[in-house]
Amino acid sequence: MIIKSILENPTITQQEIAKKVFKDNASVTRIIELLVKSEYLNREINPDDRRKSNLVVTEEGKTIIQKVQDLVLENRKNALDTIATEELETMNLVLKKIIRNCS
């Protein structure tokens, strides 16, 4: 999810990533460090503020995202196989209410 967040918004901050993936900042920092060591991400110095770094997804990171995305879509297809569209719409409404209640 972190790699996908960076791909979708290359200027995203670690705090924004944490909020988007429902993790605390410390966890996101550790995960990013692992992704850099695994060569899925690179850190580049921010030209506007040298104290900051920009996260850039590597080709290897893009490849792994595509593999995972294919797996996710297949699993989702299997999971939703016998569920009607109306049931999905009802579930979506209920989940949105739960999220609003927790916000």
Side-chain angles (χ1 to χ4, degrees):
M1 287 179 66
I2 289 175
I3 295 173
K4 192 166 168 93
S5 296
I6 296 167
L7 280 172
E8 291 171 355
N9 183 2
T11 61
I12 195 167
T13 66
Q14 280 192 220
Q15 290 82 11
E16 291 168 331
I17 292 170
K19 187 174 182 182
K20 194 170 190 158
V21 301
F22 305 104
K23 301 261 183 219
D24 61 87
N25 288 336
S27 294
V28 169
T29 299
R30 285 191 298 274
I31 293 168
I32 287 173
E33 195 56 42
L34 290 171
L35 292 171
V36 168
K37 285 181 182 176
S38 299
E39 299 183 352
Y40 296 135
L41 292 178
N42 283 330
R43 280 198 178 90
E44 294 181 356
I45 295 173
N46 184 320
D48 300 326
D49 186 348
R50 295 183 58 79
R51 296 170 297 175
K52 296 180 181 178
S53 61
N54 296 333
L55 296 169
V56 180
V57 180
T58 64
E59 287 304 315
E60 196 168 337
K62 291 175 186 175
T63 300
I64 198 71
I65 280 296
Q66 187 57 52
K67 288 179 182 176
V68 169
Q69 185 67 18
D70 293 344
L71 183 62
V72 166
L73 292 175
E74 183 64 29
N75 285 340
R76 185 177 297 158
K77 181 181 153 201
N78 292 337
L80 301 177
D81 186 39
T82 61
I83 299 175
T85 304
E86 299 82 25
E87 292 173 310
L88 288 173
E89 290 170 1
T90 301
M91 179 191 67
N92 195 25
L93 288 172
V94 172
L95 288 173
K96 285 180 180 180
K97 284 183 181 180
I98 291 170
I99 290 168
R100 249 192 331 272
N101 290 345
C102 294
S103 297

